[in-house]
Amino acid sequence: MLHKLPFLTPPPNLSQSETFPLADSLSNQAVIVRRIQADSTEKNRLAKMGIFPGARLKIIQQTCGQILLQVYHSRLALGKSLAKQILVQNASSSYQGKNFMRLSELKIGQKAVISGYQSNRPNILQRLLEMGLIRNTEVEVIRRAPLGDPIEIALRGFHLSLRQFEAELIYVEPKETKSP
Amino acid sequence: MSVSITKKEAYIALIGNPNVGKTTLFNALTGLQQKTGNFAGVTVEKKFGKFTVEDKGSKYHCQILDLPGTYSLSASAPDEMIAIDSLMGRWQEGRPDLILAIVDASNLERNLYLISQLLECHLPLILALNMYDLAQKKGIEIHLETLAQTLHCPVVPVVANKRKGLEKLRNTIVQTLQSPSSPPYSIRFPENIENALSELDEYLQQNLNCKLSRAEIVRLLIDPDSYLKQRLEQQLDEDFQKFWENLLPKYQIQPEELLTLEPELRYQWAQNLISQCTQIHPQTHPPLSEKVDKILTHPFWGLGVFLIVMGLVFQSIFQWATPLMDWLDAQISLLSSWISTLLPSGPLQSLIVDGVIAGIGSVIVFLPQIVILFMFISILEDCGYMARAAFLMDKLMSWAGISGHSFVPMLSSFACAVPGIMATRTIENRRDRFTTILIAPLMSCSARLPVYVIMIATFIPPIYLWNGWISLQSLTLFAMYLLGICVALPVAWVLKKTLLKGKTPPFIMEMPSYKIPDYRTVGMQMYKSAKSFLLRAGSIILAMSVLIWACTYFPRSSQIDQLYHQKQIQLKQKFHTQRKQLLKHHFPHLSLQQIQTNPTFTNLYQQLPQPLPPKNSTTYQTLLNQHGPTFSLAYEFKQLENKYNQKIKELENQKNAAHLKNSFLGRAGQFLAPAFQPLGWDWKITMATLASFPAREVIISTLGIIYQLGADVDEGSQNLRQAMQNDRYPNGKPVFSALVALSIMVFFALCCQCMATLAIITKETGSFYWAALAFVYMTTLAYLAALVVYQGGTLWGF
């Protein structure tokens, strides 16, 4: 039953592994956001900064009042009180050793299978899904434009070009490449 | 025995993914029986075509609507609603009688996604499998009957660009129209979602007095920021909001789950269908497309090819169109001089020659550029290169907040903004398209070049910098071109943050396979672009030319006419007496009449070489020896006549200048002069700028009139350059300086003094508002920039 699959990537053992407040994390720890216990405006504000269920964060430094984070490419500081409302999970344990990454991080010629999405941009996500970028679809990065963006991928027998920023919304599990 | 033929009307909607040959099929079915309009409120072109189908006693007049290419019916913006609104009959045409869905047979899976949504529209459906030959070549074997049986709708293989399968398609259309039946839905959602859908359906039926189709209900429930919901919220009360908020929790549905579920179910259905109906015979050699793409999107070679292709496109509209434009120009001047001889001089002649014919001339002069550009665009689009160009240039254009699709329109705008703005039709996203339309006129077009050339050549000193490598003049010209680009970036950014605000649309673009462009599609595109420009923008341009003409012609002061008439008479009398004196000097006993009827003299007089040989030349001496005093007289008469003609022409020029100064436009120029004084301009420059509203290059001929040199001066005219250099204010200060020239150039680089551009903006955006906006923002920018240049330059001591 397709529809019973959980929506977000790192997946199956959501309930088993432990979640803890972001405020309790350590410097240099990589975590995945699981739940945000804040009101909807606060949630929206966080989502705009890239903090939403499923997002990967890296803690750069814990100071007394603030916590310095790396959220994908950008860095930001968060107040401790807010950080207490964000429940996270250890990234390494939730990935269970599997090599998850974003579609945007694949190398040219690399093949991967789509495993999940980031859900903070539902409009864009819907367009991607409609074009066939659904879970368990095999994609291959064909090339990058000369200025690095956009990228061209092949899937389902046709080619698609999408911007780096859109490719970041898709989590993939790279396929083992056989050495020639 | 006669067979009675029943004639019926039918309305068909043609829909399909982009790049599947939808327009080619549309053209193939309808030929030239097409007309275009606009979808109200969303400024998307609405293309209708007509054709008739016939079968045993019934004849159908079909009206077919070519819907914009789409991958899905989901909609979160008004322009995405076009497809579903058309299918549901929300426009004046009502509901279509059937949907003609075109799919790419060589890429069925993704195409079936849309089909699966179309099956929920409660409408008869015909599936046209286009590019059937390509699919066979790829080794895809489709069992048509199985497909038709599973879908419960007719399936017709066609090859639209080779006009194959059309007869069968027409027959199928008749049969479907005769016994319409809508096929069943393709997918069922899980129980809880189906329950939510039916509760929503019931609620809307009770509160809205109309039944929505399943397609609409599904869109309403699933689409994030569904535009349908926004629309319903306006029609329904707060109760709907409450109902809505409870709906998903009641059935334990997560919005994210819903979002991913629909595509997964539909693709699962498509995969099942394909596994039942097709067989793939693997091909050994990779498709040609991939080999070609290895070169065309290669970081080095790809850019090289790209530069060559774009250089070719630019060259063709910048340079190759020129002979054609000059030829058209010459024909127009021929026509106007011919009409001038037919009509007595006066307001009517001026209206027809300087107003109407000049207006028509300024319309058709754009045709070569438009037709050539659209030839290239449709070739590039049809063969699939356009997507690659957008791919290569996307990053560059994204700095201005627009996408790679804007590159070709922007490039074309360096030749002329009119075809450039027309080329924005290839941009799907409305906000990107409007941004591009609004910044395209900032690119320095070829009409600005004459202004730059005369100002630079006259006032920028020919100094060489860096050991003679770079001249200050060419640096200035380059700076003018750069200025437009540099201003366009922040303008685009501001537009995207204010008037054209909205979520960044995804740049998800299919890279279609390469194919040989279809000459019929290309020809049709060229024809349609020319037609739509002439019919829609042409009328605005013509009306505006007549209006501008009236502003420069009226009020016609009889005082000026009389004054110059008297001056003419005085001149004529003076001429007469001078001739008499000359005659007296050479032949005291003869009268003017006698000498003018003397055949030897008249012969000699008429055969005098023009221009006259100087007195110390051998020609003069031989002729003098040959004919004696008769020749001397003829020579001096001719000299006098030349001088007289010159004087008359000067008078005429003075009169025109006086009329222009007195006209509404001249008065406006003098009235507005104080406003332009901070830019370093006098009333003459102000007026010439106002007069150049129809087109920038008009400033030169207007300056020609003002400086009493006549209107037929061009940027190379030495007289005009001298007149400009010598012009002084009453206090002896020169009117023009390098700084004033720079201020004029900067103004012209940024202003929107081009009514053809304004007309085409009005037409392409479907509203006068955007043209007014372009004019106001560009003129304001131009004024401010010129102000900064002049005042800043003055402060720096230039």
Side-chain angles (χ1 to χ4, degrees), chain A residues 113-134:
Chain A
V113 174
I114 295 175
S115 55
Y117 320 94
Q118 192 172 296
S119 66
N120 61 329
R121 301 295 301 267
N123 280 312
I124 292 181
L125 181 57
Q126 191 184 26
R127 292 279 171 240
L128 291 167
L129 292 166
E130 285 168 349
M131 295 299 282
L133 287 151
I134 59 172

Side-chain angles (χ1 to χ4, degrees), chain B residues 20-46:
Chain B
V20 293
K22 191 167 55 66
T23 305
T24 314
L25 181 65
F26 179 71
N27 287 341
L29 280 173
T30 62
L32 288 172
Q33 296 263 10
Q34 298 183 8
K35 65 171 193 227
T36 53
N38 250 311
F39 287 107
V42 285
T43 54
V44 173
E45 208 175 23
K46 192 182 198 177

Side-chain angles (χ1 to χ4, degrees), chain B residues 349-364:
Chain B
Q349 189 212 48
S350 185
L351 168 69
I352 292 186
V353 173
D354 302 327
V356 177
I357 296 182
I360 294 172
S362 60
V363 173
I364 65 167

Side-chain angles (χ1 to χ4, degrees), chain B residues 237-252:
Chain B
D237 48 15
E238 285 163 19
D239 188 50
F240 174 63
Q241 203 59 39
K242 255 186 230 157
F243 167 81
W244 185 266
E245 273 164 20
N246 291 328
L247 187 65
L248 291 187
K250 185 177 168 188
Y251 292 101
Q252 294 174 329

Side-chain angles (χ1 to χ4, degrees), chain B residues 149-219:
Chain B
Q149 275 165 14
T150 328
L151 284 173
H152 297 280
C153 76
V155 175
V156 186
V158 291
V159 185
N161 56 359
K162 289 178 189 152
R163 307 292 194 262
K164 277 185 192 162
L166 295 179
E167 205 42 52
K168 176 113 192 285
L169 185 61
R170 285 200 189 92
N171 290 338
T172 316
I173 290 174
V174 183
Q175 282 155 18
T176 315
L177 286 171
Q178 279 169 338
S179 52
S181 70
S182 40
Y185 309 144
S186 58
I187 60 160
R188 276 192 74 77
F189 290 98
E191 208 54 42
N192 59 337
I193 295 175
E194 284 293 341
N195 289 340
L197 284 172
S198 38
E199 189 174 337
L200 185 58
D201 191 16
E202 263 167 47
Y203 179 88
L204 292 174
Q205 268 188 63
Q206 279 169 13
N207 291 286
L208 215 60
N209 297 327
C210 77
K211 181 160 169 50
L212 296 184
S213 66
R214 182 181 167 92
E216 281 171 304
I217 303 283
V218 169
R219 299 274 52 90

Side-chain angles (χ1 to χ4, degrees), chain A residues 146-159:
Chain A
L147 293 163
D149 195 12
I151 60 173
E152 183 180 337
I153 59 168
L155 75 156
R156 296 174 187 273
F158 66 96
H159 287 214

Side-chain angles (χ1 to χ4, degrees), chain B residues 318-334 361 364-369:
Chain B
F318 197 80
Q319 208 108 67
W320 299 345
T322 320
L324 271 169
M325 291 163 79
D326 288 346
W327 183 80
L328 282 173
D329 226 20
Q331 300 309 305
I332 290 292
S333 342
L334 271 182
I364 65 167
V365 84
F366 287 106
L367 274 186
Q369 284 183 332

Side-chain angles (χ1 to χ4, degrees), chain B residues 100-148:
Chain B
L100 178 56
I102 177 168
V103 299
D104 177 356
S106 63
N107 185 11
L108 260 185
E109 195 183 24
R110 201 208 52 225
N111 279 264
L112 282 172
Y113 185 87
L114 180 66
I115 301 302
S116 142
Q117 289 182 331
L118 291 176
L119 290 172
E120 288 160 10
C121 290
H122 311 301
L123 281 172
L125 181 80
I126 296 176
L127 199 65
L129 288 180
N130 194 24
M131 307 193 210
Y132 195 66
D133 55 340
L134 211 73
Q136 283 173 326
K137 243 183 228 166
K138 271 190 174 177
I140 303 168
E141 194 188 321
I142 303 169
H143 306 289
L144 296 169
E145 271 175 28
T146 328
L147 188 61

